[in-house]
Amino acid sequence: ILLFCLISSLVMAFNCTAFCPEADIINCVNMYDFPLSFGGVANGQQCVFLYDGLNWETHVAQYGSLPVVSTCMQDENNLLAAMGMGTYSDGIYRFNIIEETWELCDWFYFPNFVTRHPGSSTFYCGERDGLFKSANGIDWFGVSALGSGACTSIAFRDSCIVANSDNFIYYSHNSGLTWQQSQSGSLKGFRFASDGTLYGIMNVGSDSDGLWCSYDAGVTWNAVYYTTNLSAIGPDYNG
């Protein structure tokens, strides 16, 4: 009886409720800003989906053909969207959620993400040729310390920032004013846990593939466990 009750309680604990817009494909999810924003495909067109807590709104992305790969709010009325798939139209676009209009901010070939560092209110874009930053989301400048390698991952905690450039890891402990290169490499998918531990993924087809962590915000790294094809690190709820 006790075993039956335990199994029943565990089954109930893992019940899930679907939460997403009516879409064929979801490319990205931003649940940190308000309204919540998703990028994906609906009825064959690339779209941005917004959720205000009650209703879903679907807006066709610029041209209807550029995939929305990342979003963040520029201000309360404007959404920044990284869109692209290797075309001359790739870049960061701004969507005014009041007027429902699109506007190009800057060209970026194969953008991977657009996000904002809460500590400095600086916007960052990672793309094929490096990491770029902006004070307003419109005027963008390359972060030369990271070189011109593909930047696919970034994470923030207070004044600490960590990002990758190809197989190299760079960190800043002063809100991006200066950067240093870590002695470790080949990590991506960075995420800070609530206790300040920084995690990263190695997935390069080596014996060192798996989950790694850093207790000094990106300076040094230690293997947590080895595994193959690890793709993402989930959020840390309640520690």
Side-chain angles (χ1 to χ4, degrees):
I1 294 176
L2 290 176
L3 180 60
F4 174 79
C5 292
L6 177 61
I7 294 175
S8 298
S9 63
L10 289 176
V11 170
M12 292 298 293
F14 285 99
N15 279 349
C16 297
T17 300
F19 178 79
C20 65
E22 293 184 3
D24 304 318
I25 298 172
I26 295 295
N27 296 329
C28 65
V29 177
N30 177 4
M31 301 183 73
Y32 295 100
D33 293 329
F34 183 84
L36 309 185
S37 54
F38 291 56
V41 179
N43 299 319
Q45 290 187 304
Q46 302 290 341
C47 300
V48 166
F49 309 93
L50 302 178
Y51 183 67
D52 62 5
L54 295 174
N55 303 301
W56 288 100
E57 294 183 0
T58 301
H59 304 278
V60 177
Q62 181 80 334
Y63 312 124
S65 59
L66 288 177
V68 178
V69 298
S70 179
T71 64
C72 80
M73 293 300 295
Q74 180 188 22
D75 52 49
E76 62 181 6
N77 294 326
N78 292 283
L79 174 82
L80 295 180
M83 298 194 292
M85 56 180 179
T87 73
Y88 289 114
S89 299
D90 288 6
I92 301 296
Y93 289 81
R94 179 172 57 186
F95 179 68
N96 186 293
I97 62 178
I98 305 300
E99 300 177 358
E100 300 184 5
T101 55
W102 288 97
E103 178 184 5
L104 174 69
C105 294
D106 207 339
W107 306 111
F108 286 107
Y109 196 62
F110 273 124
N112 295 304
F113 62 79
V114 60
T115 187
R116 182 181 66 251
H117 175 226
S120 63
S121 295
T122 300
F123 296 92
Y124 285 94
C125 170
E127 60 110 71
R128 185 193 65 170
D129 296 322
L131 180 67
F132 294 78
K133 67 178 182 179
S134 171
N136 55 17
I138 301 174
D139 305 305
W140 293 86
F141 305 92
V143 181
S144 58
L146 274 67
S148 58
C151 182
T152 61
S153 304
I154 195 169
F156 310 121
R157 180 178 172 85
D158 300 327
S159 61
C160 298
I161 309 175
V162 61
N164 73 327
S165 179
D166 282 340
N167 293 325
F168 302 102
I169 304 170
Y170 293 87
Y171 61 89
S172 172
H173 292 174
N174 55 10
S175 297
L177 295 178
T178 59
W179 293 81
Q180 290 79 39
Q181 182 181 332
S182 172
Q183 294 182 353
S184 300
S186 299
L187 295 174
K188 62 181 181 180
F190 307 113
R191 184 184 287 274
F192 281 97
S194 58
D195 64 358
T197 304
L198 174 64
Y199 290 92
I201 294 169
M202 186 178 296
N203 185 19
V204 293
S206 73
D207 292 335
S208 298
D209 282 5
L211 183 66
W212 289 68
C213 75
S214 173
Y215 299 108
D216 48 21
V219 181
T220 58
W221 292 84
N222 306 282
V224 177
Y225 70 88
Y226 298 111
T227 185
T228 58
N229 296 322
L230 188 63
S231 60
I233 302 170
D236 177 25
Y237 292 111
N238 299 321

